Amino acid sequence: MRELSELQTESSLVRYTAFLADILSLIESVQSSIAMIQGSREQGNGVMVVNPLSRPKQQFDEPADYFLVEEIRKYVKIKPNRLGKQNFMGANGTFTSIGHTCFSMKKELEEYMDYDVAPQLYGKPFPINESIWKLPDNRNVRWSQYKCKNFTCLACNETRKGFFKCADCFNLSDHEMPRWIKLFNLDPNLNMTSDFLITEVLDIKPREVRIGLDFSVGTGTFAARMGECNVTIVSATINLGAPFNEMIALRGLIPLYLTINQRLPFFDNTLDLIHTTRFLDGWIDFMLLDFVLYDWDRVLRPGGLLWIDSFFCLKEDLKDYLDAFKMLRYRKHKWIVLPKLDKDDREVFFSAVLEKPPRPFRFRNPFAISNSDVEFNCSLVFHDLLSLIIQWGRSGWN
């Protein structure tokens, strides 16, 4: 027993040390920001241009030397401006965006760059008045990476060869067509459902919802239904076991091939609506969820709506997930928690429609450092610090 107690004490000490180290690193980043401000004040009026692309003498590593495929080498190579002058953005050249993962997965990237992009036979898409509710031409998809080799196979739920969370997504007539215009999955005891109708949500902000994002796994039906209400929706998804992006495009809708750990390619405060279903569920890590919600908050305009559609998790995890959503401090328009009937009362559904509140903000030069930058950086650090403390509290101190 004594040895067990010593092991527990030692384990707790290690975790406590790691916790303090994370806090110290966050505090250090605040100190670095303040030091940059103090240095800039000594050179002028409290503002100094620090755009790294405007420094002609700065040396950069050449990432092109790391790869063997010539197409990749040309892509990642720094392209200097003609005549050696700065362009209208104040930069001396163009630096191609390439992620850390590309370097860590060199072999896979070079293999990826060496394949035929287009199918051998490609037929014209159906007219827009037909394509929305009709399975596309099978020739318009490269099927080599999928268990199903045609859309009919995917539409047949009995095959179970697509993505298990979206097994019915390609069944346009029976499963997809009624979604968001009719209520389903009524709890027999409560006579309630976690589904909301599109008309219900749009009535919260009449004539204000014009553009938005659907971050889900699906075939674009949400965008199709919103289009009937004159709302333009971009459908962000990945091809998990089925050609979801091709299907969305062939229906005449806009796909966005994007994973959950990527920053959204939208500017701040621009979207009226973000909708998500069948993607963010009880599998997601709390810190990753913080990252996702923070980025959604960034692109959603003040007064915009966040529609959480049938998020499900274990009962014992529900409070932690709800706390993550509550940290946004959004106004609640709709909020419901119901048992998930197919899991013997071990899991629950959560749905909500939340409104982003107005927040004061100041215009600032994106390449300047001033007091507002310190405030912004500090707010990010303390947001991370708060998330870290919450994570530690969930896991316990012992």
Side-chain angles (χ1 to χ4, degrees):
M1 292 295 294
R2 181 179 179 183
E3 293 178 355
L4 179 61
S5 177
E6 291 176 351
L7 286 175
Q8 290 176 342
T9 303
E10 182 179 353
S11 175
S12 178
L13 181 61
V14 170
R15 294 174 64 193
Y16 181 69
T17 303
F19 174 70
L20 291 179
D22 287 338
I23 292 179
L24 290 174
S25 66
L26 292 171
I27 294 175
E28 184 179 1
S29 66
V30 174
Q31 292 175 334
S32 299
S33 298
I34 296 175
M36 292 178 69
I37 292 297
Q38 292 174 342
S40 66
R41 284 177 175 171
E42 294 176 358
Q43 298 191 24
N45 297 322
V47 176
M48 176 180 65
V49 175
V50 292
N51 179 6
L53 303 185
S54 65
R55 301 172 182 168
K57 295 183 180 180
Q58 185 172 353
Q59 298 297 319
F60 294 89
D61 295 330
E62 182 54 78
D65 295 336
Y66 185 73
F67 297 100
L68 299 177
V69 176
E70 186 62 24
E71 188 176 355
I72 304 177
R73 291 168 60 86
K74 289 180 179 179
Y75 176 77
V76 301
K77 188 176 179 63
I78 299 172
K79 288 88 173 174
N81 298 337
R82 294 181 68 247
L83 307 180
K85 296 182 179 180
Q86 291 185 353
N87 60 22
F88 66 95
M89 296 181 291
N92 299 309
T94 300
F95 297 75
T96 305
S97 173
I98 183 168
H100 169 264
T101 306
C102 293
F103 287 91
S104 62
M105 303 182 68
K106 173 185 174 183
K107 179 181 177 182
E108 289 79 5
L109 177 63
E110 292 180 340
E111 180 181 351
Y112 171 81
M113 297 294 287
D114 187 27
Y115 76 97
D116 295 328
V117 177
Q120 293 182 352
L121 299 174
Y122 194 93
K124 291 193 301 184
F126 297 129
I128 189 63
N129 59 335
E130 298 180 25
S131 61
I132 292 293
W133 302 111
K134 184 177 181 179
L135 288 177
D137 190 330
N138 294 320
R139 296 175 299 174
N140 294 348
V141 173
R142 299 175 68 252
W143 295 97
S144 58
Q145 302 299 318
Y146 306 114
K147 293 180 180 179
C148 274
K149 304 303 179 184
N150 54 64
F151 286 111
T152 304
C153 170
L154 289 171
C156 180
N157 186 31
E158 295 177 357
T159 63
R160 293 289 175 179
K161 292 183 178 181
F163 179 49
F164 72 96
K165 292 179 69 175
C166 204
D168 294 312
C169 288
F170 291 86
N171 185 348
L172 299 183
S173 57
D174 297 329
H175 180 267
E176 291 292 287
M177 191 172 287
R179 297 185 71 191
W180 297 291
I181 62 172
K182 294 182 180 179
L183 292 177
F184 293 95
N185 303 318
L186 283 171
D187 187 303
N189 298 321
L190 303 175
N191 195 30
M192 300 176 67
T193 176
S194 60
D195 298 333
F196 302 140
L197 301 181
I198 284 178
T199 52
E200 291 181 275
V201 176
L202 293 183
D203 285 344
I204 295 174
K205 292 280 186 175
R207 297 181 299 279
E208 288 189 31
V209 179
R210 307 151 301 157
I211 56 174
L213 171 71
D214 180 26
F215 204 115
S216 309
V217 176
T219 52
T221 299
F222 180 79
R225 285 304 186 192
M226 292 293 282
E228 295 171 356
C229 300
N230 297 318
V231 180
T232 301
I233 296 291
V234 175
S235 302
T237 188
I238 54 179
N239 289 4
L240 287 171
F244 289 104
N245 278 269
E246 294 96 319
M247 177 69 176
I248 293 169
L250 290 169
R251 293 181 73 183
L253 306 167
I254 306 172
L256 181 63
Y257 190 73
L258 194 72
T259 63
I260 199 170
N261 60 338
Q262 289 178 269
R263 191 173 186 263
L264 292 174
F266 303 109
F267 197 67
D268 306 349
N269 304 299
T270 51
L271 299 184
D272 301 317
L273 172 75
I274 294 179
H275 170 265
T276 183
T277 187
R278 290 179 172 170
F279 203 48
L280 295 185
D281 294 321
W283 63 268
I284 190 170
D285 174 75
F286 291 108
M287 195 163 289
L288 176 58
L289 180 61
D290 280 346
F291 165 80
V292 172
L293 294 180
Y294 185 85
D295 202 39
W296 288 359
D297 177 74
R298 178 185 64 82
V299 301
L300 200 60
R301 68 166 175 82
L305 299 178
L306 174 59
W307 182 352
I308 310 298
D309 191 350
S310 299
F311 178 102
F312 67 86
C313 64
L314 294 172
K315 269 188 174 181
E316 55 263 33
D317 295 333
L318 177 64
K319 183 180 183 303
D320 291 333
Y321 281 115
L322 294 186
D323 287 344
F325 289 105
K326 290 177 181 178
M327 282 184 65
L328 293 171
R329 298 190 180 277
Y330 280 16
R331 177 186 175 186
K332 297 179 184 177
H333 286 286
K334 291 180 176 294
W335 184 282
I336 188 169
V337 177
L338 291 173
K340 196 169 183 289
L341 300 179
D342 61 340
K343 294 297 181 180
D344 299 325
D345 205 33
R346 293 182 295 109
E347 295 184 359
V348 292
F349 273 128
F350 161 64
S351 293
V353 179
L354 311 173
E355 179 182 343
K356 178 179 176 178
R359 298 178 185 136
F361 62 91
R362 295 191 287 272
F363 170 80
R364 56 188 186 88
N365 183 344
F367 300 130
I369 289 182
S370 61
N371 286 337
S372 62
D373 291 87
V374 171
E375 294 171 2
F376 179 71
N377 289 334
C378 288
S379 67
L380 289 179
V381 169
F382 287 122
H383 174 272
D384 292 341
L385 181 58
L386 181 59
S387 298
L388 187 64
I389 293 173
I390 291 174
Q391 290 293 316
W392 191 267
R394 286 170 178 151
S395 61
W397 289 96
N398 296 319

